Amino acid sequence: MADPAGPALAAADTVVVPPTHAMPELGRGGPLPPEVTAAVARIRPGTRLVSICSGSYVLAAAGLLDGRPATTHWNLAPEFRRAYPAVKVDEEVLFVDDGDVLTSAGVAAGVDLCLHIIRRDHGAAVANRTARMCVVPPWRDGGQAQYIDRPVPDPTIADTSATRAWALDHLGEPLPLGRLAEHARMSLRSFTRRFRDEVGLTPVQWLTAQRLELAKQLLETTDLSIDLVAHRAGFGTANSLRAHMRAALGVSSAAYRRTFGTDDRVAAGIRS
C-alpha cells in the first residue's frame, strides 16, 4: 500500500514532529518503529527539522540530535538524558534553535517556537500578526526559563506586570534599573529577584529583547531612518542598534530592512 505522506516528506522544506506518547519504548532508548524509520528516511538532507515537546524523542531515536543542543519538557528531561546521552539536552529553556534542527519544551513552548520560525522566515510584523490571530503573546525568547515547580504568587505581594506594561510604552526613554524598581515601588534587590521569578530573564535582558522587537517592527513597517528607529527603540544611536542586531540576529539593521521591509522601501534604496 502506498504511503500518502511519502511524497510530502520527500519534498518538504520543514518537517514538524508533534508531541507523541504512542512509542513508550523510546523513553528507554528503544528503536523507532519500522514505519517511522521509513518515514524519517524519506526526509531530504538539509531539511529543517522541528520537534514539539516529546517529539524530540523521535529525532533523538533517529540519531538526528546526537552531539547537538536540544530541549524537551522539563519533566521528561531526566529520562531523555538517560535514554539519549549523546544529546546536549537543556531543560531550562523554552526552545533551542540549532539552525536546521529546532526543539521546544512543552506544547505551549511549541507555539513560541513556531512563532520564532515565522519571525525568522518572514519578519517580526508577520509573526506578530500571527500571534494576534492565535491570541497568544507575540514573543518569548527561547532562552527564557521553563516554569518548573514555581508556586503561584501570593496575590497580596506586588508583582512586576504593571511595570513591564509601563516600560513597553516608554522604550524610547532611558530605563535604568532604579527607575523600573521605583515604578514598581520595590527595592532594587526585590524588584530584580521578583522580575526574574516572573519572566525568567533579568530586567536588562528583557528590555533589550523588547527594544529589539520594536526596532524590527519599525524597520519592517516604516520609512524611518535607522537613526530614528534606534532612538525610538531606546538604543540611542544607529551604531548601538546595529551592534545589538548583529549580536542577536547576525545581521545589520540595514540588512534586516532589506530582507523584511516592504518592496517599495527596498526599491527606494534606504541605507543605514
Side-chain angles (χ1 to χ4, degrees):
M1 180 177 177
D3 180 2
L9 286 170
D13 294 316
T14 299
V15 173
V16 180
V17 182
T20 178
H21 297 287
M23 295 173 279
E25 65 274 13
L26 300 187
R28 301 184 293 273
L32 289 168
E35 62 273 20
V36 179
T37 299
V40 171
R42 295 188 180 96
I43 300 172
R44 295 174 301 161
T47 297
R48 181 166 57 188
L49 301 173
V50 180
S51 70
I52 309 298
C53 192
S54 57
S56 57
Y57 280 78
V58 175
L59 298 184
L64 298 170
L65 297 181
D66 287 356
R68 306 189 70 151
T71 192
T72 191
H73 193 286
W74 64 267
N75 197 39
L76 301 173
E79 174 189 82
F80 188 94
R81 188 174 281 108
R82 288 192 299 270
Y84 305 104
V87 182
K88 301 174 183 177
V89 63
D90 183 357
E91 67 270 34
E92 294 292 332
V93 297
L94 293 179
F95 60 82
V96 171
D97 180 345
D98 194 36
D100 59 340
V101 177
L102 302 92
T103 53
S104 83
V107 174
V111 175
D112 295 309
L113 177 54
C114 290
L115 287 171
H116 168 76
I117 292 170
I118 294 173
R119 183 176 289 105
R120 196 174 83 173
D121 289 354
H122 303 289
V126 174
N128 290 342
R129 287 198 298 271
T130 303
R132 285 195 295 272
M133 289 296 294
C134 297
V135 198
V136 295
W139 185 87
R140 288 200 299 169
D141 179 65
Q144 184 170 326
Q146 293 188 37
Y147 295 100
I148 304 174
D149 286 345
R150 286 178 179 154
V152 175
D154 186 334
T156 64
I157 299 176
D159 66 20
T160 66
S161 59
T163 297
R164 280 181 273 129
W166 171 82
L168 289 176
D169 290 331
H170 296 80
L171 290 176
E173 304 172 16
L175 293 174
L177 187 56
R179 187 179 180 192
L180 296 173
E182 181 181 2
H183 183 275
R185 298 183 179 180
M186 299 181 192
S187 68
L188 282 174
R189 183 176 180 181
S190 295
F191 177 78
T192 301
R193 182 178 64 250
R194 186 74 176 174
F195 195 102
R196 179 117 198 186
D197 286 345
E198 293 175 5
V199 179
L201 300 169
T202 67
V204 171
Q205 290 171 329
W206 181 84
L207 266 179
T208 299
Q210 300 307 319
R211 283 172 163 157
L212 274 172
E213 284 301 300
L214 176 56
K216 288 190 290 184
Q217 291 180 51
L218 293 173
L219 289 169
E220 291 178 39
T221 61
T222 75
D223 293 321
L224 297 174
S225 69
I226 303 297
D227 283 315
L228 193 50
V229 168
H231 176 73
R232 289 196 179 181
F235 288 109
T237 68
N239 284 339
S240 176
L241 172 59
R242 188 177 297 110
H244 279 90
M245 293 282 288
R246 285 196 179 279
L249 305 173
V251 298
S252 69
S253 47
Y256 185 88
R257 173 169 268 171
R258 284 194 295 271
T259 301
F260 296 115
T262 60
D263 292 340
D264 56 341
R265 184 183 304 113
V266 174
I270 292 175
R271 300 289 184 266
S272 64

